[in-house]
Amino acid sequence: MAPAYDVIVLGLGGMGSAAAAHLAARGVRVLGLERFGPVHRHGSSHGGSRVTRQSYFEDPAYVPLLLRAYELYEQVERDTGRDIALLCGGVMLGPPDSRTVAGARRSADQWGLPHEILDAREIRRRFPTLTPADEEIGLYEARAGLLRPEATVAAHLQLATRHGAELHFQEPVTRWEPYRDGVRVHTPDDTYTAGHLVICPGAWAPRLLADIGVPIRIERQIMYWFQPHGGTGPYHPDRHPIYVWENTAGTQVYGFPAIDGPDGGAKVAFFRQNGTPCTPETIDRTVHDHEVETIAGRLATSLPTLPGRLIKAVTCMYSTTPDEHFVIARHPAHPGHTTVACGFSGHGFKFVTVVGEILADLALDGTTRHPISLFDPGRFAHAPA
């Protein structure tokens, strides 16, 4: 008997929804399975905004993927009529030799990306909301900005459905195994077969991908929205950029313009700071006073009208590999019929459009034209225990 589907996509968050959309657009029979409802707040694809940037301080190897991701942002917007990207400009700030500034400059120079290097005085002149110290500098990138994660996931689900994908929500996967020339996937509701399985588990990776040899750490992180003193006018996207700001201690914060109206505040957060290990079941969803005080103290040193008044604070989960790079590959133990994508948190959402394309390539062809050698799970095979 032939499998009921060509490809099953496990997880319909940022990466999984994009994979389902790309696969369905290629005319294959797709089943998407998601343990929660569509566009939910239980994982890592929520919070109203995510930074996008091309002068990538993490590693210049990401830049070709970002160039393609930007092309796909525009395509998704054309195809769905949804606004998912706002390129309001961005500044990477800190000491000249900081990872944030020096790394962004290295990527921009290597790939010939348009950018400007601004001293502290020029930053303060252009963006009065930011007050760097005299010894700090910034790399300004006009093509940086933000993505709207909920709108992006909704757009990909819309495209997947339009192209014939069957999407099941509130149906968690309990287990899967190889079956004949493909896979068999079990849920509390049914058992499904397919020629190939794409696993995009987010914070559920340690449970569902324990056999790929990658130690993935799940951490609780917090996003904050503050109402600035004097209002959000100076934080309008026409006046205030996204930013990633590293101090001399190496602590990074990032923030956004005010995109939720005059009463919506400005969103800020620490980048990979104070992350508490957790699981999806044990995460503390309460944001505590001492946590608000910590971010408020950091903001007060750099942004003259923040923190202001706290409007809200929301938790999410990072799922991170030891080297902070992604995992995108055919499954090491089941390469013939399973593809995996995990370990994205901290800096992954800006790649969802192109990762969806890559996962469709790997599922259907076993290879991709995109450079993904950095994301091979085999890099951990000989790591010390």
Side-chain angles (χ1 to χ4, degrees):
M1 179 182 297
Y5 301 94
D6 295 313
V7 184
I8 294 174
V9 178
L10 193 167
L12 294 174
M15 304 303 171
S17 63
H22 279 277
L23 285 161
R26 299 186 192 187
V28 300
R29 296 168 297 167
V30 176
L31 171 65
L33 295 171
E34 168 58 52
R35 68 173 49 240
F36 299 109
V39 197
H40 62 79
R41 299 168 59 86
H42 303 290
S44 305
S45 297
H46 62 283
S49 56
R50 291 289 186 277
V51 167
T52 189
R53 49 194 167 87
Q54 294 181 349
S55 300
Y56 216 61
F57 61 75
E58 287 85 349
D59 196 303
Y62 285 87
V63 174
L65 299 179
L66 286 162
L67 297 176
R68 177 57 177 159
Y70 271 56
E71 293 175 349
L72 292 170
Y73 298 162
E74 295 177 0
Q75 182 176 320
V76 170
E77 289 183 326
R78 288 194 302 268
D79 291 346
T80 65
R82 296 177 184 265
D83 293 326
I84 67 169
L86 175 60
L87 303 183
C88 57
V91 187
M92 306 298 109
L93 297 119
D97 61 350
S98 64
R99 181 192 187 201
T100 302
V101 176
R105 193 169 191 173
R106 182 169 59 251
S107 283
D109 289 343
Q110 178 173 327
W111 291 99
L113 301 174
H115 67 285
E116 300 175 72
I117 302 299
L118 309 179
D119 62 20
R121 184 175 182 178
E122 180 64 9
I123 294 168
R124 292 192 294 261
R125 186 189 70 80
R126 288 200 201 182
F127 310 114
T129 47
L130 308 175
T131 55
D134 288 343
E135 64 273 16
E136 293 182 307
I137 67 171
L139 181 146
Y140 176 72
E141 178 187 337
R143 292 278 288 167
L146 63 92
L147 296 175
R148 304 175 190 272
E150 291 91 344
T152 304
V153 173
H156 282 131
L157 295 177
Q158 176 183 337
L159 291 171
T161 302
R162 179 186 301 172
H163 292 293
E166 185 179 327
L167 307 181
H168 294 192
F169 297 98
Q170 306 293 343
E171 189 171 351
V173 170
T174 55
R175 63 186 176 93
W176 64 274
E177 70 265 346
Y179 178 72
R180 296 180 179 172
D181 294 327
V183 293
R184 184 163 54 187
V185 176
H186 303 269
T187 78
D189 299 331
D190 211 336
T191 297
Y192 308 97
T193 59
H196 201 89
L197 176 65
V198 175
I199 304 178
C200 302
W204 287 261
R207 180 188 310 162
L208 291 168
L209 294 175
D211 57 346
I212 65 170
V214 179
I216 296 177
R217 176 183 171 93
I218 309 303
E219 295 180 350
R220 171 183 175 270
Q221 294 287 339
I222 308 171
M223 301 171 281
Y224 303 86
W225 286 256
F226 289 96
Q227 185 71 358
H229 296 295
T232 57
Y235 288 82
H236 189 275
D238 290 342
R239 304 173 66 185
H240 177 78
I242 64 95
Y243 58 90
V244 180
W245 200 327
E246 181 175 344
N247 64 13
T248 55
T251 300
Q252 294 166 300
V253 294
Y254 64 96
F256 298 86
I259 60 172
D260 299 317
D263 300 320
K267 178 184 169 185
V268 297
F270 282 114
F271 185 47
R272 301 191 185 281
Q273 178 74 8
N274 300 327
T276 304
C278 68
T279 70
E281 292 75 29
T282 64
I283 181 174
D284 179 3
R285 296 288 185 181
T286 300
V287 178
H288 303 279
D289 290 345
H290 72 273
E291 294 171 319
V292 177
E293 292 168 0
T294 298
I295 188 77
R298 176 68 175 86
L299 296 174
T301 66
S302 305
L303 293 96
T305 60
L306 285 180
R309 175 176 58 84
L310 179 69
I311 296 174
K312 65 177 178 179
V314 175
T315 60
C316 70
M317 289 179 286
Y318 277 14
S319 51
T320 309
T321 64
D323 61 8
E324 299 179 0
H325 296 309
F326 310 152
V327 172
I328 307 175
R330 286 286 186 105
H331 194 299
H334 310 287
H337 50 70
T338 307
T339 295
V340 299
C342 59
F344 292 100
S345 287
H347 64 126
F349 197 88
K350 61 183 70 64
F351 295 91
V352 293
T353 52
V354 68
V355 169
E357 185 171 67
I358 291 167
L359 294 176
D361 292 343
L362 293 177
L364 300 181
D365 305 324
T367 188
T368 180
R369 64 182 175 86
H370 294 294
I372 61 169
S373 60
L374 183 63
F375 312 135
D376 186 343
R379 69 189 187 271
F380 297 108
H382 305 293

